Amino acid sequence: MKMVLIFSVLLIAGLLLAQWLPLWLASAADAGHLVIHLLTMTALAYIMIHVGTEFHVEKTNLRQYGWDYVIAVTAAAGPWLLVAMYFIFVLVPSELWCRGRLWQESLLVSRFAAPTSAGVLFSMLAAAGMGHTWVFRKARVLAIFDDLDTVVLMIPLKMMMVGVAWQLMVILAIFATMFWTAWRWMRRIRLPTAWPWVLTYSAMIALASYGVSFASKQIDQDVPIDIEVLLPAFLLGVALSPPRAEDRGPERHHRQQQVSTLISAAFMLLVGLNMPPMLMAWQQAGAENAAREQSLLSQLTMPPWPVLALHVVIVTALCNLGKMFPAFCYRKEAHWRLRTGVAVGMWPRGEVGAGVLVVSLGYGIAGPAMTISVLSLALNLVLTGAFIVLVKWLIAAHAENDNAPP
């Protein structure tokens, strides 16, 4: 558990640094954020490529993957809808409940609560020595499907805000092409898999993702073509052929593990650094932009700090309560402690949720709902280590084996 503590400290350190980074960088803030973003995406791509190489798809058992996807979508929809309803029915006066624009904004902002951070989850579980457990294998499948659902669902959510746009159709076409390619060439692409090569592939994916987004913004600033690195990196890992015999020696494996641990540690720090700043000046800038866009959520009055803190605690609890659906599934596969461990393992949030909040800010949404969302995401990050300790305890309290009775 020593590595879990180190990773937790790095997450919190990155989160704290993110609050002051805009002031330190001053005029170079945009360039600094770009460098941090690219480094984060490179580290995430590296982690997801390795997840893909260890992910074995049984083509004869597609029905099980379909059920896993249903569970993952439900686990993502639960916290999303709970938080959206909380924002509307608790923060907003009842006379505004029937406003369609209010529902659109609430559904977009609250989507931050849906995605599990696959990179944080995999790194933390591996650091806690749970990389070969049933909990890790099942959480791996659910977290990937969970994030995939979030990325895909962001398309109709953006359509609600800006209408039907050709860029969103391009994103769907790119996703479909990547899935077909990975399925067609599964374990058949022969490329070097030593860590320098994988890191190179990761950097190329991150740069390509940023390049597509940057180029599309030159055409239309409001509707960029955003391709998150998580999906292409994972699918590349699935498509890569297994390492050759001469690349599987114990020394090479040990070096690979060392590099993976270092990159995971760097990723923890970078995830914290990617959090939207909670400084008042930044929030006021968002509110001014929101006023021009006539955002309904941004027009709400900011509550006192004690009330705001209570909202943050409740929203954080709703975020994690909505993730508990997997605990009621897989009754024939595992004991209830292991199923609960999978559900708790889905609690960590990170870079994907922060990305949703950045998108929401881009549409001019600010005010108390946005502040609560940012603080809730930050609180969840701070508690990540505790979540993993809880998962470890649930597993330790039950002698795990795949045939354990429910």
Side-chain angles (χ1 to χ4, degrees):
M1 297 300 289
K2 178 181 178 181
M3 288 306 302
V4 173
L5 177 60
I6 293 174
F7 283 4
S8 299
V9 171
L10 289 171
L11 267 172
I12 296 171
L15 179 61
L16 294 175
L17 288 172
Q19 310 313 308
W20 302 102
L21 196 62
L23 298 179
W24 291 342
L25 294 176
S27 60
D30 290 341
H33 287 144
L34 174 58
V35 171
I36 292 171
H37 174 73
L38 289 175
L39 290 175
T40 306
M41 294 303 100
T42 299
L44 176 60
Y46 184 92
I47 293 170
M48 294 309 300
I49 288 175
H50 280 293
V51 170
T53 59
E54 299 171 0
F55 188 79
H56 300 285
V57 178
E58 300 178 17
K59 292 187 176 182
T60 59
N61 194 26
L62 295 181
R63 189 173 186 179
Q64 178 61 48
Y65 293 112
W67 177 233
D68 288 336
Y69 185 77
V70 170
I71 293 173
V73 170
T74 305
W80 172 43
L81 297 178
L82 286 174
V83 174
M85 289 188 290
Y86 185 85
F87 284 161
I88 292 173
F89 297 124
V90 176
L91 296 182
V92 179
S94 57
E95 58 268 20
L96 298 178
W97 288 354
C98 295
R99 301 285 293 273
R101 180 72 181 184
L102 174 67
W103 282 90
Q104 293 173 1
E105 295 177 7
S106 298
L107 288 172
L108 178 59
V109 174
S110 60
R111 192 61 188 172
F112 89 93
T116 296
S117 174
V120 171
L121 173 62
F122 301 152
S123 298
M124 282 291 201
L125 289 179
M130 293 184 279
H132 299 289
T133 63
W134 179 88
V135 169
F136 179 84
R137 294 195 300 273
K138 187 58 67 177
R140 176 175 59 190
V141 175
L142 295 181
I144 291 170
F145 284 157
D146 180 305
D147 284 351
L148 171 63
D149 173 67
T150 295
V151 171
V152 173
L153 191 58
M154 285 301 292
I155 295 175
L157 288 176
K158 289 179 180 179
M159 286 182 178
M160 288 195 311
M161 303 300 293
V162 301
V164 178
W166 65 268
Q167 294 94 325
L168 303 179
M169 299 299 103
V170 170
I171 295 175
L172 283 176
I174 292 174
F175 284 170
T177 301
M178 287 191 296
F179 271 110
W180 180 87
T181 302
W183 180 262
R184 174 68 176 79
W185 297 97
M186 187 183 303
R187 303 295 176 223
R188 296 175 63 183
I189 296 180
R190 296 189 176 277
L191 290 173
T193 56
W195 73 263
W197 287 100
V198 175
L199 189 58
T200 301
Y201 308 149
S202 304
M204 292 172 62
I205 291 173
L207 289 172
S209 174
Y210 171 74
V212 171
S213 177
F214 179 81
S216 65
K217 287 180 180 179
Q218 308 311 306
I219 301 173
D220 189 341
Q221 181 73 24
D222 295 330
V223 192
I225 299 176
D226 291 323
I227 307 297
E228 300 292 339
V229 303
L230 183 146
L231 182 59
F234 170 73
L235 294 179
L236 173 60
V238 170
L240 287 175
S241 61
R244 295 170 297 180
E246 57 268 27
D247 294 332
R248 298 178 183 173
E251 184 177 342
R252 287 178 180 269
H253 179 73
H254 180 66
R255 178 62 59 85
Q256 191 96 343
Q257 290 296 108
Q258 286 181 323
V259 173
S260 295
T261 300
L262 288 174
I263 291 178
S264 295
F267 177 70
M268 294 299 148
L269 179 65
L270 290 165
V271 167
L273 286 171
N274 269 278
M275 277 294 297
M278 291 172 281
L279 298 174
M280 290 304 296
W282 198 72
Q283 180 187 342
Q284 290 170 358
E288 292 172 0
N289 181 43
R292 293 195 296 270
E293 298 293 333
Q294 299 181 344
S295 166
L296 291 178
L297 283 179
S298 305
Q299 296 173 13
L300 301 177
T301 303
M302 189 70 69
W305 277 107
V307 177
L308 192 68
L310 178 61
H311 286 313
V312 170
V313 172
I314 294 174
V315 167
T316 304
L318 292 175
C319 287
N320 296 331
L321 177 65
K323 285 287 183 184
M324 293 305 296
F325 182 69
F328 302 98
C329 307
Y330 308 116
R331 292 177 179 270
K332 295 181 180 180
E333 293 186 44
H335 190 272
W336 69 266
R337 285 184 177 274
L338 304 184
R339 303 196 306 268
T340 304
V342 170
V344 174
M346 301 285 285
W347 287 1
R349 307 306 201 279
E351 70 289 340
V352 181
V356 172
L357 296 181
V358 171
V359 170
S360 302
L361 284 165
Y363 289 117
I365 302 174
M370 178 60 70
T371 303
I372 292 168
S373 298
V374 172
L375 291 173
S376 175
L377 185 56
L379 178 58
N380 219 296
L381 273 175
V382 171
L383 294 174
T384 298
F387 299 158
I388 301 304
V389 170
L390 178 56
V391 175
K392 183 80 172 180
W393 175 80
L394 286 167
I395 292 180
H398 174 75
E400 181 184 13
N401 62 78
D402 289 348
N403 297 317

